[in-house]
Amino acid sequence: MTIPRDLAPRLLQAAQTAPSITLTGPRQSGKTTLARTVFPRHSYVSLEAPDTRGFAAEDPRGFLAEYPGGAIIDEVQRAPELPAYLQGAIDDNPRPGRWLLTGSQNLALTASVSQSLAGRTAVHHLLPLARGEVERFDRYPRAMEEALFAGGYPRIFDRGLDPSEWLRSYVATYVERDVRTISQVGDLATFQRFVELCAGRTGQLINFLSLASDCGVSQPTAKAWLSILEASFIVFRLPPFHRNLGKRLVKTPKLHFYDTGLACWLIGIRTPQQLRTHPLRGAIFETWVVSEIVKHRLNRGETRGLFFYRNRDGAEVDLVIEHPSRLTLVEAKSSQTPSASLFGGALRVQRQLADASLSCDVAVIYGGEESQNRAVGRVISWDSVHEAAE
């Protein structure tokens, strides 16, 4: 079943002005399906097949000449020199929307595209499904724990698969296939242990000393490996909000996973019922809320303006959304009961930021079903998480 993706209008808009579009994201996020759905008249070629990849690598000019009207070139990271030759084809014919390059984001693709196609390609990122997209399938998880456990990889919902089984294969493929090509990783078993340790720290401040020590690697190795996970769209760093508010603010970024289903599997959670009582339930819910808002904004072309706030006196809020004239302070609470106590942390931060002449509104996203407007702020049901980003 093919569903509409929220990023589709952005791709169509880019095709009106840019001669090339680069669509990246994690494996299995739906890039190929989206590209072929949005541009059904384009020729399609995948560099996954060895013979096709060999043609593109050995005779890139001849390969591109096979597609005078342009094409969707899938898995373009498999031929990292190709964008350099595509530059000449674009300069010869800069007609908008001719080329669409898709691929799993990695260090080689980033360098290749940025160096060869700067100013010639519009770069977009397709993340796993946002909650609103998940709900477009005929069958989707209704309960909060089921939604967090399933995550957002499209194939799980398209084929009605057991998330735990599919994610097990996904992790094996990612580690054994993708990471093997990256020179910084020599010990795949240790790297997988590192990924699991990162999952256990989702929603926490990044501590490279602790990560390196627990994994048995050096801090430079831990930093390099985290960069690999970021480049592969497995994790992201949420920066702290500071705005010159003083020296007592925590300035270390937080670690979050883009997909809570993947984080759950790596932690060892194998059923939604297990998540209900798991000690990391709150951290996983926080990661889900933050990642959902990241997806919502990214699908609208907003790539900046998200932070968290914490100072050394204990005042903190999970997410700060920066708007042109105000801030929204977002707290993620997995509790299913809306109570005034849910606002405590955010209101404390609101008072501190008001002292710095910053206007803030407050939203609490909780595990219940009913949204409410209160005098101090909004209580938003988990299933309406995108409303906090408006």
Side-chain angles (χ1 to χ4, degrees):
M1 176 183 179
T2 301
I3 63 160
R5 297 298 299 267
D6 291 346
L7 187 62
R10 301 283 307 170
L11 298 184
L12 288 169
Q13 183 180 15
Q16 301 303 310
T17 56
S20 170
I21 300 169
T22 301
L23 180 62
T24 68
R27 282 198 173 275
Q28 300 294 327
S29 62
K31 299 181 294 297
T32 301
T33 300
L34 175 60
R36 301 189 74 172
T37 300
V38 174
F39 301 103
R41 296 184 179 180
H42 277 55
S43 299
Y44 171 82
V45 58
S46 174
L47 300 186
E48 194 69 27
D51 55 341
T52 306
R53 183 166 66 249
F55 181 19
E58 296 164 12
D59 184 10
R61 289 190 177 90
F63 173 80
L64 293 174
E66 293 286 312
Y67 306 98
I72 299 169
I73 304 178
D74 203 1
E75 301 291 348
V76 70
Q77 79 277 359
R78 307 283 282 177
E81 299 300 323
L82 189 62
Y85 292 90
L86 185 59
Q87 174 185 336
I90 289 174
D91 290 345
D92 290 341
N93 183 357
R95 179 169 58 84
R98 286 179 70 213
W99 301 97
L100 181 64
L101 313 179
T102 78
S104 304
Q105 176 83 336
N106 62 28
L107 304 181
L109 176 60
T110 302
S112 176
V113 169
S114 62
Q115 291 173 12
S116 304
L117 298 180
R120 299 173 177 85
T121 192
V123 179
H124 290 274
H125 307 306
L126 184 68
L127 297 177
L129 300 165
R131 176 62 182 175
E133 294 173 313
V134 169
E135 292 176 343
R136 292 170 192 156
F137 285 91
D138 293 335
R139 294 178 296 173
Y140 63 89
R142 262 70 173 181
M144 184 193 78
E145 289 85 1
E146 293 174 352
L148 271 60
F149 175 75
Y153 285 97
R155 189 161 297 184
I156 292 173
F157 306 98
D158 181 31
R159 301 188 179 181
L161 303 176
D162 176 4
S164 189
E165 285 299 311
W166 188 86
L167 288 164
R168 177 183 59 79
S169 299
Y170 183 86
V171 170
T173 300
Y174 171 70
V175 172
E176 295 173 6
R177 175 180 173 179
D178 291 358
V179 177
R180 191 183 299 275
T181 65
I182 301 174
S183 60
Q184 295 98 319
V185 178
D187 185 341
L188 292 178
T190 303
F191 181 79
Q192 181 156 342
R193 172 64 178 155
F194 176 81
V195 181
E196 293 167 354
L197 288 170
C198 287
R201 289 164 168 78
T202 192
Q204 298 180 19
L205 298 179
I206 298 173
N207 185 332
F208 284 111
L209 177 61
S210 172
L211 265 174
S213 175
D214 289 352
C215 196
V217 298
S218 67
Q219 285 195 58
T221 295
K223 292 178 180 179
W225 285 2
L226 189 67
S227 295
I228 291 170
L229 294 181
E230 290 179 286
S232 304
F233 282 99
I234 301 296
V235 304
F236 63 97
R237 305 184 203 202
L238 183 67
F241 183 82
H242 48 85
R243 191 80 73 84
N244 299 320
L245 295 175
K247 297 181 179 179
R248 296 192 58 80
L249 293 179
V250 171
K251 297 183 180 180
T252 303
K254 272 189 176 184
L255 179 68
H256 284 292
F257 271 64
Y258 280 110
D259 189 78
T260 56
L262 180 58
C264 284
W265 192 92
L266 291 165
I267 291 167
I269 297 171
R270 296 293 180 262
T271 66
Q273 292 73 23
Q274 189 180 352
L275 180 58
R276 291 193 178 103
T277 57
H278 198 279
L280 292 180
R281 168 189 167 94
I284 293 170
F285 183 68
E286 177 186 336
T287 282
W288 185 82
V289 168
V290 173
S291 64
E292 282 292 313
I293 292 176
V294 167
K295 294 172 190 175
H296 181 74
R297 288 171 62 87
L298 194 60
N299 287 335
R300 299 192 306 182
E302 298 170 349
T303 59
R304 300 179 183 274
L306 297 180
F307 312 89
F308 76 95
Y309 179 99
R310 181 183 295 182
N311 67 20
R312 301 188 189 280
D313 296 325
E316 62 180 303
V317 70
D318 296 328
L319 187 64
V320 178
I321 305 175
E322 197 170 41
H323 304 286
S325 59
R326 62 183 174 87
L327 302 173
T328 297
L329 309 181
V330 178
E331 275 285 87
K333 300 292 185 182
S334 60
S335 166
Q336 296 182 352
T337 304
S339 65
S341 64
L342 300 180
F343 286 92
L347 292 177
R348 182 180 177 188
V349 173
Q350 184 185 45
R351 290 191 293 269
Q352 293 186 358
L353 294 179
D355 292 340
S357 301
L358 295 173
S359 175
C360 309
D361 52 37
V362 172
V364 173
I365 300 172
Y366 80 119
E369 304 296 330
E370 181 184 355
S371 297
Q372 303 172 351
N373 288 320
R374 298 194 176 194
V376 293
R378 293 176 291 165
V379 180
I380 298 175
S381 163
W382 70 275
D383 208 21
S384 301
V385 58
H386 64 279
E387 293 180 6
E390 304 299 336

